[in-house]
Amino acid sequence: MTEHLHLAVALDGAGWHPAAWREDDARPADLLRPSYWVDLVQEAERGLLDLVTIEDALRLQSEDPFVPDERTDRVRGRLDATLIAARVAPVTSNIGLVPTAVVTHTEPFHLSKAIATLDYAATGRAGVRVQVSGRADEAAHFGRRQLEPLSSTRELDWSDPELRRRVTEAFDEAADYVEVLRRLWDSWEDDAEIRDAATGRFIDNTKLHYIDFEGRHFSVKGPSITPRPPQGQPVVAALGHADIPYRLIATSADLGFVTPHSAADAADIVGRIRTAQAAAGRAEETVHVFGDLLVVLDDTDEAAHARKRRLDERAGAELTSDAEIFVGTPAGLADLLQEWQAAGLTGYRLRPAALPHDLVRITEGLVPELQRRGAFRTSYATDTLRGHLGLSRPANRYATTAQSA
Amino acid sequence: MTSKPLKQVHLAAHFPGVNNTTVWSDPASGSHIEFESFKRFAQSAERGRFDFLFLAEGLRLREQGGQIYDLDVVGRPDTFTVLTALAAVTEHLGLTGTINSTFNEPYEVARQFASLDHLSEGRAAWNVVTSWDAFTGENFRRGGYLPQDQRYERAQTFLDTAFELWDSWGPEDVLADKDSGRFLGSASAGTFGHHDGHFDIEGRFNVPRSPQGRPVIFQAGESEQGREFAAASADAIFSRYSQYDEGRVFYDDVKGRLAKYGRSRDELLILPAATFVLGDTDEEAAEAAREIRFQQVSPATAIKFLEQLWNTDLSTHDPDGPLPSFDPVESDVDGLISQGRASVRQHRDRLDAAAKWRAKAEAEGLTTRELIVEVTGRQAFVGTPQTIAETINRFVQDDVADGFILVPHITPSGLDPFVDKVVPILQELGVHRTEYDGSTLRDNLGLAHPDRPEAKRVSA
Ligand SMILES: Cc1cc2nc3c(=O)[nH]c(=O)nc-3n(C[C@H](O)[C@H](O)[C@H](O)COP(=O)(O)O)c2cc1C
């Protein structure tokens, strides 16, 4: 039997091609309107996708990953991703909602209750992708710490020990941050609310727990002000391109997004994450590894390549990406997905080059193609994100008595 | 009598908070955390053509005697997240969130409010509160090191900075013009810089100007500094003064401060919190109100209230007996028996307050519990729908308030009787809208848009 693939779509602005906003079907004036996001996520849900991610950053977009610019010909400005997810939650019913959150400058206490609340609003469909920030301009928006840019060029030089030290430190802080999120989600036992009229007690306060986290960068007392969310633990995701972030995925996440460029590359990355996972004592736990692909999809290869050329011309430069760029038909993409799946990936996060065009090619082209091959669900079997990902509802780390699942 | 035009009554709904107003033991009392409850509550308010929904906030679970306080509803959602989700299930209702200026950073809060304003298409409001205690600070990176006298200084600079961030984008900065290829109208859109003792930040804000320009600003705080802060910067005050005489005094005091900031009296609304109990007759309502008060103040709750003033363990005190014969215990803030309550509710002069309580209990022959029922949170409006509508209208016309933020004692259905029975009478009196006539919260409140200051209040 073919293992089903998991599919996510990464939503960002008008799409991942810098010229996407000028396409005929693009809605660049609507990027800050609720209907834009509702329409996209409902389309993804029609395609039975596991989840959407929503990009975010605490700065304005820029062409270069590390340095700001003053361009006026690209999409600039965005909304808080967690709040976009919250706005969409009540008007969708099955799809997982995974906003991006920057952990370097924010309070884990605030993010923990925000994602717990998203999980309530979405009745069990929330996740969060934690993102480390290494940018000087982002740090200057908060003024709490000074950061030199990680790199003055687009490429990071991993042989530089100072760079490795700084990246390690930032990701160690992210791991602490996720630990705090998770402890806070567990800081209320599921049956803490008792409403006992006889004693007048609304809660059994022995079932609420201080998390007493003390780390290098922050300490947090707890408990959360928000009760344990419906999924117990919302899904934690992280994107990684190198061993240091792979370690964060392996130690702290349920879902890793990686950027292989071939089946062999995929096998190598998955191997590294599995090794790190075992080293972290999590060999028995499910950690999904999804391959990220930027996709340009049309009914024929020629049409897809022609569209990409047109977009590149408009942008004044050939598209570049940290992820592999796929240009072709849904069937061709399905071939690639299955081939790399055999190398160990459990799913994919597809970055549509242009919205809604490439999203619709995913939901109306790729998904039916995978279904014909027996490689993708034909209806949602569960209504929680953990459920879609085959993750059970975890026991509460603080509970002393057996918990109901 | 001059024929002054009638003031419109502003109505808002406070999702019952984490305190003893809420009678959670009532069989009609539902979940305080599930989204369905918030949705139902918000939709009732919108059915009643209310101006907005209001959420309070506390960033650490309250404790008393070193234990997490367990007699009231405990637990609440994240303010921004639940308000934004509510934008999906309402169309006109304003969405007011209480957000603290000590345990947050301007860049983040400004973008969250701007995002809420975009995602609700112009319905966001921020109730700026200034709790600064070290107890709450233990949940945060920055801790609770703010000295008490700096709380409003930080709040004012925080708010000024937020204004700078919101104003860093002009209404025309996003062109999104496919033909010319110009997305931004200006290469420097969003540029800001703020450098003082509290915030040393600069760069570019990343949320373009939202429908209301800036969210509506509320303030809740009663000190001299708090009142000045409101007079200088707020669009509305959330106050505790729902009674006639105290309300008049507060109203005049605060409105009288506006002129020195170059503002007119209708640029700041006074909206006290108010509870209500309806009945078929005034007597029946009064009887129901009394019963509810005893549900709100159980024997155990009465002792907890007593401890908050006496500042010592009174767990063996008899709630049905007299007040303690000894005096309250003084201590510094960190040593208080009760932690995590909005500081306004903490007692300022314990000896004096205890003396007043004792005098009242003796004069009226009240037990401890009966006294607590009397001195803590009596319902503001009790009577038939007619009585309540007329009272509310009179209070508004007499400048006790510009309207009220109603706090039902049952979640989520507690607003329904008011919406079904009192609202139609207010509508008949011509002081409450029958349909929404605008699309933003500023429209509901009759406040000018910052980009169009000439478009002044129409009602008032
Ligand atoms: C009616 C009212 C409601 C308040 N609600 C909250 C609240 O929900 N959360 C909070 O942290 N503080 C709340 N506060 C506290 C105030 O923001 C402020 O910190 C406190 O009143 C101290 O300021 P002051 O000395 O000016 O009164 C409230 C105050 C008042 C008067």
Side-chain angles (χ1 to χ4, degrees):
Chain A
M1 200 198 99
T2 322
E3 273 284 307
H4 278 188
L5 284 173
H6 295 279
L7 279 185
V9 159
L11 299 177
D12 187 22
W16 290 74
H17 196 292
W21 69 274
R22 296 181 66 186
E23 292 289 279
D24 284 345
D25 61 350
R27 295 163 59 187
D30 288 354
L31 302 180
L32 308 175
R33 296 226 167 97
S35 60
Y36 179 75
W37 298 96
V38 169
D39 290 348
L40 292 174
V41 179
Q42 288 181 341
E43 180 59 34
E45 187 167 69
R46 271 191 289 279
L48 307 175
L49 304 192
D50 291 75
L51 61 103
V52 292
T53 61
I54 304 166
E55 298 302 302
D56 207 353
L58 296 169
R59 58 176 165 81
L60 214 52
Q61 298 92 325
S62 62
E63 204 74 348
D64 184 284
F66 300 105
V67 200
D69 62 40
E70 301 206 330
R71 296 188 76 128
T72 56
D73 61 340
R74 302 280 196 258
V75 169
R76 294 290 182 263
R78 56 164 85 251
L79 300 175
D80 182 276
T82 301
L83 299 186
I84 291 174
R87 177 61 182 76
V88 168
V91 290
T92 50
S93 48
N94 284 93
I95 194 161
L97 302 169
V98 182
T100 296
V102 172
V103 299
T104 310
H105 304 293
T106 59
E107 292 283 357
F109 192 84
H110 286 316
L111 185 67
S112 175
K113 67 184 161 55
I115 300 302
T117 302
L118 179 62
D119 206 39
Y120 278 104
T123 53
R125 295 180 286 127
V128 62
R129 173 198 154 201
V130 293
Q131 178 172 264
V132 167
S133 163
R135 287 180 54 137
D137 55 338
E138 220 159 4
H141 293 162
F142 288 81
R144 271 200 292 227
R145 28 169 93 157
Q146 302 256 307
L147 285 184
E148 291 301 313
L150 274 183
S151 168
S152 51
T153 63
R154 298 184 75 113
E155 295 300 318
L156 293 180
D157 174 10
W158 288 107
S159 67
D160 174 4
E162 175 57 15
L163 174 85
R164 287 220 310 279
R165 186 194 64 74
R166 283 183 49 202
V167 173
T168 302
E169 189 177 314
F171 277 87
D172 284 350
E173 181 181 349
D176 279 0
Y177 195 111
V178 175
E179 175 69 13
V180 171
L181 295 180
R182 291 191 179 284
R183 285 194 200 176
L184 286 169
W185 288 330
D186 275 352
S187 65
W188 291 55
E189 295 185 36
D190 289 321
D191 53 358
E193 184 179 314
I194 52 171
R195 296 193 184 222
D196 183 34
T199 58
R201 291 180 310 150
F202 183 77
I203 49 160
D204 174 352
N205 63 14
T206 66
K207 297 193 171 187
L208 267 54
H209 303 275
Y210 297 107
I211 69 163
D212 283 323
F213 181 86
E214 306 225 358
R216 231 183 105 197
H217 301 277
F218 43 78
S219 49
V220 177
K221 180 79 184 171
S224 179
I225 59 166
T226 307
R228 194 169 193 237
Q231 294 182 105
Q233 292 277 317
V235 170
V236 176
L239 169 69
H241 304 93
D243 279 332
I244 297 167
Y246 294 159
R247 211 175 65 223
L248 176 68
I249 293 169
T251 56
S252 306
D254 306 295
L255 172 56
F257 302 130
V258 299
T259 54
H261 294 275
S262 66
D265 200 12
D268 174 57
I269 293 170
V270 172
R272 287 164 187 266
I273 292 178
R274 297 297 173 226
T275 304
Q277 200 183 325
R282 294 181 77 208
E284 302 303 309
E285 290 178 42
T286 301
V287 176
H288 283 282
V289 182
F290 284 14
D292 268 24
L293 291 168
L294 198 167
V295 297
V296 183
L297 296 173
D298 278 292
D299 294 341
T300 64
D301 285 336
E302 296 69 47
H305 283 282
R307 191 161 60 88
K308 165 137 184 319
R309 266 195 309 278
R310 182 161 51 75
L311 283 161
D312 284 353
E313 267 163 37
R314 271 238 160 117
E318 197 179 336
L319 177 64
T320 57
S321 173
D322 55 327
E324 180 68 11
I325 299 169
F326 176 88
V327 185
T329 64
L333 178 58
D335 292 341
L336 182 146
L337 300 189
Q338 290 192 298
E339 188 194 330
W340 291 14
Q341 180 187 16
L345 296 175
T346 57
Y348 294 89
R349 185 174 78 135
L350 303 178
R351 307 180 186 176
L355 293 168
H357 183 100
D358 294 295
L359 171 61
V360 176
R361 295 301 170 287
I362 291 167
T363 56
E364 293 183 2
L366 175 68
V367 165
E369 179 63 32
L370 289 171
Q371 286 169 334
R372 273 191 289 281
R373 301 179 187 195
F376 194 65
R377 68 173 68 83
T378 53
S379 64
Y380 281 112
T382 74
D383 56 9
T384 67
L385 177 54
R386 291 188 73 92
H388 302 331
L389 296 174
L391 301 166
S392 59
R393 191 171 191 278
N396 189 323
R397 74 194 62 201
Y398 296 111
T400 44
T401 49
Q403 293 265 316
S404 55
Chain B
M1 252 312 284
T2 56
S3 59
K4 223 172 49 170
L6 283 181
K7 279 169 76 184
Q8 291 292 303
V9 172
H10 293 286
L11 290 177
H14 188 313
F15 188 88
V18 168
N19 56 53
N20 74 314
T21 304
T22 307
V23 181
W24 53 258
S25 54
D26 191 292
S29 169
S31 172
H32 288 262
I33 192 67
E34 272 161 31
F35 184 67
E36 264 318 296
S37 280
F38 287 86
K39 177 177 166 184
R40 174 139 175 11
F41 187 81
Q43 290 181 342
S44 288
E46 193 160 79
R47 191 160 54 80
R49 305 291 180 260
F50 280 35
D51 290 10
F52 60 91
L53 173 134
F54 185 97
L55 289 183
E57 182 183 73
L59 294 171
R60 174 133 180 217
L61 298 183
R62 302 172 311 164
E63 291 184 10
Q64 193 156 329
Q67 298 276 313
I68 292 171
Y69 193 82
D70 56 5
L71 300 180
D72 295 343
V73 166
V74 185
R76 43 174 132 220
D78 177 70
T79 303
F80 288 114
T81 312
V82 76
L83 289 180
T84 310
L86 285 172
V89 295
T90 54
E91 272 178 59
H92 295 278
L93 192 66
L95 302 164
T96 305
T98 297
I99 293 291
N100 180 287
S101 58
T102 306
F103 305 112
N104 285 293
E105 297 296 330
Y107 195 93
E108 204 184 0
V109 165
R111 78 189 294 270
Q112 287 169 312
F113 273 113
S115 296
L116 173 61
D117 204 45
H118 278 290
L119 291 165
S120 64
E121 304 189 280
R123 297 188 277 142
W126 173 14
N127 178 34
V128 184
V129 296
T130 60
S131 309
W132 66 92
D133 52 299
F135 175 76
T136 305
E138 285 181 354
N139 281 334
F140 296 98
R141 282 180 193 252
R142 78 181 301 280
Y145 54 75
L146 193 64
Q148 170 169 354
D149 59 358
Q150 276 184 28
R151 71 193 188 287
Y152 276 110
E153 193 187 303
R154 175 163 165 118
Q156 188 70 58
T157 25
F158 194 116
L159 189 60
D160 290 345
T161 309
F163 280 156
E164 287 160 24
L165 292 167
W166 291 319
D167 291 349
S168 69
W169 286 80
E172 311 297 334
D173 279 339
V174 175
L175 303 177
D177 182 12
K178 289 185 193 182
D179 295 334
S180 70
R182 277 296 283 267
F183 190 88
L184 288 189
S186 151
S188 61
T191 302
F192 71 93
H194 187 105
H195 307 278
D196 64 23
H198 289 279
F199 305 110
D200 184 13
I201 61 176
E202 63 187 23
R204 288 178 80 186
F205 189 50
N206 68 353
V207 187
R209 197 152 181 87
S210 70
Q212 293 191 107
R214 305 163 176 172
V216 173
I217 303 297
F218 281 67
Q219 184 269 357
E222 331 207 298
S223 60
E224 186 63 21
Q225 284 170 294
R227 292 174 192 214
E228 287 299 317
F229 175 72
S233 308
D235 301 303
I237 294 189
F238 177 48
S239 92
R240 294 191 298 159
Y241 303 114
S242 59
Q243 302 293 311
Y244 193 95
D245 291 331
E246 59 177 25
R248 286 277 308 114
V249 172
F250 183 75
Y251 192 98
D252 277 347
D253 176 278
V254 177
K255 296 253 179 176
R257 296 171 191 250
L258 288 161
K260 76 168 164 271
Y261 298 99
R263 305 179 72 200
S264 68
R265 283 172 75 91
D266 56 10
E267 286 178 64
L268 176 67
L269 300 172
I270 312 286
L271 304 172
T275 48
F276 60 90
V277 181
L278 291 166
D280 289 338
T281 63
D282 287 343
E283 298 69 39
E284 201 186 298
E287 184 49 39
R290 194 179 146 75
E291 258 172 52
I292 292 163
R293 286 298 296 142
F294 277 88
Q295 289 176 308
Q296 290 169 330
V297 183
S298 68
T301 299
I303 296 302
K304 295 293 183 189
F305 271 112
L306 195 66
E307 288 183 349
Q308 285 161 31
L309 177 53
W310 256 260
N311 196 27
T312 189
D313 181 356
L314 295 171
S315 49
T316 58
H317 186 82
D318 178 9
D320 297 320
L323 292 177
S325 52
F326 52 90
D327 281 337
V329 177
E330 298 286 3
S331 71
D332 63 10
V333 175
D334 295 335
L336 291 177
I337 190 166
S338 168
Q339 293 285 335
R341 286 174 189 264
S343 59
V344 66
R345 298 192 181 92
Q346 306 272 11
H347 301 282
R348 297 225 156 112
D349 183 344
R350 289 172 196 286
L351 291 179
D352 182 56
K356 285 188 179 131
W357 281 18
R358 273 207 206 95
K360 184 174 170 73
E362 272 160 35
E364 299 175 31
L366 302 174
T367 65
T368 294
R369 185 180 176 204
E370 287 165 344
L371 177 93
I372 299 287
V373 162
E374 288 294 316
V375 296
T376 61
R378 285 248 301 279
Q379 292 97 342
F381 300 116
V382 178
T384 63
Q386 192 71 34
T387 303
I388 290 184
E390 284 168 5
T391 310
I392 287 178
N393 187 32
R394 180 164 56 88
F395 280 27
V396 170
Q397 305 311 329
D398 287 0
D399 286 349
V400 173
D402 295 309
F404 293 94
I405 300 180
L406 298 171
V407 193
H409 63 273
I410 302 281
T411 308
S413 62
L415 208 56
D416 295 354
F418 190 97
V419 167
D420 293 333
K421 296 177 178 153
V422 182
V423 163
I425 302 174
L426 289 168
Q427 289 169 331
E428 226 159 86
L429 292 171
V431 294
H432 183 60
R433 68 176 70 83
T434 52
E435 289 303 334
Y436 288 101
D437 45 16
S439 64
T440 68
L441 175 56
R442 285 185 186 279
D443 293 336
N444 293 350
L445 293 171
L447 296 168
H449 191 291
D451 297 336
R452 296 184 291 280
E454 67 285 3
K456 278 295 206 175
R457 314 181 44 142
V458 272
S459 56

